Amino acid sequence: MTAPHAALFALAANRGAPPVGDEEAFLRSVAEHRMTGTVLAAHQQGSIRLSDGAALTLGMWDLAERRDHLEFWRAAGEIQARLAPLGAEVAVLKGIATEARWYDELGQRACTDLDLLLAPDALGDALGVIEAIDPGRTCPAGIDGLVGRRFLQHIDLHVGAVQVDLHFDPLKVGLPTRQLDEVWCSRQVLDTAQGSIRVLRPEIELVLLLL
């Protein structure tokens, strides 16, 4: 990954951006660092000056990003419905949860997948949870034991075209997180225009964003 364009640094710091110069190079940097929504909003507010062609390109990218984020929300709702018969719960980590909390518009937070944390009391039935979310997914032998001891801390799944990163441990750093029950019990319900999701406390979410 290349260093961000100088104008992106200014926008990230909520300052007026310098002239972008070569717009093609600038747009490549925007795409690489997934700042489409931020740059488009800055252009609309007059914090950065772009040609009509560059603004149109950003607008098209922004629509695609919003569509993808709506798919993440749809998948989150679908997963909650699939897990309900098992009595299993998940909380949404990072991604769309962070966007709903701290960003102004849908699509402004860079998201490539849907991160979910499985409730500690459901770790003993990890196989059942995985089969409910992504039927037909091949799993390692003895997965319930691996998850219960958190030797396996996450698994990649799919709901339609949406990639789902199902966490059995919130930090996913190799060593099991201490006080997992306390972390889980701190969850909150976040109500948004796209639906309601369970999330972790803001201070825990900020720690996850640093990893």
Side-chain angles (χ1 to χ4, degrees):
M1 180 176 286
T2 60
H5 191 285
L8 297 184
F9 280 116
L11 293 178
N14 202 28
R15 300 194 306 266
V20 301
D22 183 346
E23 285 193 331
E24 289 189 7
F26 175 69
L27 290 176
R28 286 196 298 270
S29 187
V30 171
E32 182 177 5
H33 295 281
R34 302 183 65 83
M35 290 185 64
T36 298
T38 300
V39 174
L40 183 61
H43 171 71
Q44 293 169 340
Q45 295 163 6
S47 300
I48 190 170
R49 307 186 76 171
L50 299 170
S51 68
D52 290 344
L56 178 60
T57 297
L58 287 173
M60 294 172 64
W61 290 353
D62 183 60
L63 286 175
E65 194 76 32
R66 288 171 182 261
R67 178 201 60 204
D68 291 345
H69 286 215
L70 287 173
E71 284 299 301
F72 291 137
W73 281 98
R74 183 200 61 76
E78 177 66 21
I79 288 169
Q80 291 181 80
R82 293 184 187 185
L83 295 183
L86 301 179
E89 295 184 2
V90 291
V92 180
L93 307 177
K94 304 181 288 187
I96 59 172
T98 298
E99 181 176 73
R101 269 177 159 153
W102 293 306
Y103 287 72
D104 295 329
E105 296 285 344
L106 187 72
Q108 287 191 343
R109 164 73 184 174
C111 302
T112 58
D113 60 7
L114 178 63
D115 287 275
L116 302 175
L117 175 65
L118 183 62
D121 63 6
L123 295 177
D125 189 25
L127 180 59
V129 168
I130 291 167
E131 289 177 341
I133 295 175
D134 189 357
R137 172 67 159 84
T138 301
C139 294
I143 187 171
D144 285 343
L146 294 172
V147 170
R149 294 189 294 275
R150 273 177 284 157
F151 293 152
L152 180 66
Q153 298 195 337
H154 80 111
I155 190 168
D156 292 326
L157 306 173
H158 285 88
V159 174
V162 174
Q163 182 171 325
V164 178
D165 187 358
L166 180 64
H167 296 235
F168 307 121
D169 188 285
L171 298 180
K172 256 184 9 178
V173 294
L175 297 175
T177 298
R178 295 182 178 183
Q179 301 178 322
L180 182 58
D181 288 333
E182 287 81 356
V183 170
W184 178 257
C185 288
S186 72
R187 70 195 183 283
Q188 305 168 342
V189 174
L190 185 64
D191 295 317
T192 78
Q194 285 71 48
S196 297
I197 54 175
R198 295 177 184 85
V199 296
L200 301 183
R201 285 204 319 259
E203 60 268 32
I204 297 176
E205 183 73 19
L206 287 171
V207 170
L208 296 177
L209 293 174
L210 294 174
L211 297 176

